[in-house]
Amino acid sequence: MNRPRPRPARPAPPPAVERPPVAAADAIADTRTWLERAVIGLNLCPFAKAVHARGQVHYATTDARDDAGLLEALADELRALAACDPAIRDTTLLVATAGLRDFLDFAALLRRADALLAEMGLDGVLQIASFHPDFQFAGSDPADIANATNRAPHPTLHLLREASIDRAVEAYPEADAIFGRNIERLHALGAEGWRALDVGAGCGRSATAAAAGGAAA
């Protein structure tokens, strides 16, 4: 009687290689370049240009990799924004330089981030928006260029003041139509056009190099 031969055990997958964090200065340079070229350059957010021009955008980074550390950094920035004069700091971009590189992990943290906002008594005072290099709207194809509306060089939490949003919406006609126009604009731009903007990781360094080259010329 032939006995079935035992199947050789599958080798264990190699341990995940932990990538080093992006330098804070590089992450901020990338985020500022993305803001200028994509968000403001394509007018994806009509409210961004004014706060950027007035220097009211605060850039912060965290190299935390676990949820506890990320939420602690978020709590610190929420607290600081709520306490700061809006004329000095109207909004904050918190960039994760080491963690949240997987979009599903990022999406899971967002639910905890909203819960944290409520726990801190800041629901209705501040709001959290989200951007990620691999952002994908539910039910969409990963390659759909519409996802680029919420794609940034690094995982980013955008902390906004509800009062500032209300004032901006009152001053801007047809604010509800912004998202639809953004989708149309991105489809017209196409994937090649988006890549040509150069707003991915490392774009800050290339922008600096280009500026230096122009100054030398």
Side-chain angles (χ1 to χ4, degrees), residues 140-159:
S140 71
D141 187 284
D144 188 344
I145 191 61
N147 293 314
T149 60
N150 285 66
R151 287 189 175 171
H154 309 284
T156 301
L157 297 176
H158 185 193
L159 318 185

Side-chain angles (χ1 to χ4, degrees), residues 180-205:
R181 283 200 295 267
N182 286 347
I183 301 302
E184 292 175 3
R185 186 171 292 123
L186 284 166
H187 278 296
L189 182 69
E192 288 297 325
W194 177 258
R195 280 191 288 271
L197 285 178
D198 187 17
V199 289
C203 63
R205 289 189 295 276

